[in-house]
Amino acid sequence: MGVDEQTVTEAYRLATVAAASAAVTVRAAEPRDLAGVIGLFERTWGLGRSPDRAMLLALDYAGNTVLLATQNGKPVGATLGFLGWTGGVHLHSHMAAVVPWHRGGGVGYALKLFQRALCLEQGITEMRWTFDPLIRRNAHFNLAKLGAEVTGFLPDFYGRLDDVVSGSDRSDRFEVRWSLTSARVLRALAGQPPPAWTDVARWPLDVDFEQLRADDPVAAARRREESRLVFSAALGRGLRPELTAGNDYAFTADPTDRVT
């Protein structure tokens, strides 16, 4: 199904505004940029944790999204996404990295919006990705700022990663769906707050789980185990995690596009 020209134009406008707000330029990576992309991925996850240049080149050549954010010509962010078709054609947004001194400055948001615009230009209206459900800032970014919705819980999805980010922690993930032209997403991109969900249960998120994991691995492991039980039970009952105004999880059966 095609996407009308006005929707695509507006998507690129939003992406351009987001990039300007973050003081970066976002574009498709070129072969000469791939060393910089690899450097960004390895700075985030560790040496050897990036796809190699040949793989990135092949993905880029095939038309997948290998995107770069630059400031004054220097790479400060990158993202990688590729097409999937399980449950319908979509873009799986697999990796996104931003240099530490630009995190929280809107670079990741600009990259996501440019990815969205490219998808819509190709008639793709859905993106998916996974994130660690215990990282509060990522939950807020995905569910509130972008308007994505959780579609599944994937315990230990990647196995033991032993990378710079996760260490020996279990790689539990929420899968999210970003319906690019939905009313829910358009409200989020317009800066409107999520609705007050009718929740059946709540579960508080740690302010900084990554710091807890570094400072007290035993306590972090207990939180991980507790969360597994809570998430599996809630989703098994057909409930969906959303965020409260205080950025804790509220498990609800409300429609995903609820307005108030």
Side-chain angles (χ1 to χ4, degrees):
M1 182 178 70
V3 175
D4 65 88
E5 184 177 347
Q6 183 177 352
T7 297
V8 174
T9 299
E10 175 62 10
Y12 275 111
R13 186 191 72 80
L14 287 175
T16 300
V17 169
S21 179
V24 296
T25 299
V26 179
R27 58 177 174 79
E30 299 176 4
R32 60 185 173 85
D33 299 316
L34 295 182
V37 172
I38 292 169
L40 285 162
F41 289 160
E42 291 191 334
R43 174 187 286 273
T44 301
W45 288 284
L47 291 175
R49 296 293 177 169
S50 170
D52 64 23
R53 186 181 184 280
M55 176 61 75
L56 287 175
L57 187 64
L59 288 167
D60 185 49
Y61 183 77
N64 291 283
T65 57
V66 184
L67 306 181
L68 186 68
T70 64
Q71 186 177 73
N72 300 322
K74 297 181 179 180
V76 295
T79 190
L80 165 65
F82 43 82
L83 285 182
W85 51 78
T86 301
V89 175
H90 61 279
L91 184 89
H92 182 82
S93 185
H94 180 54
M95 301 179 80
V98 176
V99 292
W101 53 94
H102 276 283
R103 289 173 191 164
V107 177
Y109 184 62
L111 284 163
K112 267 289 191 286
L113 290 195
F114 195 74
Q115 232 177 1
R116 173 178 179 266
L118 286 169
C119 285
L120 291 173
E121 187 175 21
Q122 298 300 320
I124 305 298
T125 58
E126 183 177 312
M127 287 173 55
R128 301 179 198 170
W129 60 89
T130 65
F131 76 96
D132 185 335
L134 299 192
I135 309 301
R136 195 180 204 180
R137 70 176 186 280
N138 288 351
H140 176 82
F141 179 74
N142 292 325
L143 305 186
K145 190 170 182 66
L146 294 178
E149 60 194 82
V150 174
T151 57
F153 176 51
L154 308 171
D156 214 16
F157 181 56
Y158 293 109
R160 181 163 166 164
L161 291 169
D162 285 320
D163 60 14
V164 170
V165 173
S166 300
S168 61
D169 191 12
R170 292 181 172 181
S171 58
D172 295 351
R173 296 292 184 267
F174 276 160
E175 182 178 23
V176 297
R177 173 176 59 211
W178 202 26
S179 300
L180 304 183
T181 58
S182 68
R184 173 186 172 111
V185 168
L186 294 178
R187 285 196 299 270
L189 298 187
Q192 298 179 25
W197 302 101
T198 306
D199 57 272
V200 176
R202 292 191 178 192
W203 194 76
L205 279 164
D206 294 280
V207 173
D208 191 341
F209 178 77
E210 289 170 302
Q211 191 64 52
L212 176 66
R213 187 165 55 192
D215 294 343
D216 192 341
V218 174
R222 284 198 300 266
R223 288 290 283 167
R224 179 72 68 188
E225 287 301 323
E226 179 187 342
S227 73
R228 284 183 149 202
L229 296 175
V230 170
F231 299 154
S232 295
L235 272 71
R237 294 170 58 194
L239 302 175
R240 184 185 70 258
E242 298 283 1
L243 287 181
T244 68
N247 286 324
D248 293 320
Y249 284 128
F251 297 96
T252 182
D254 286 345
T256 60
D257 58 354
R258 178 177 174 172
V259 175
T260 59

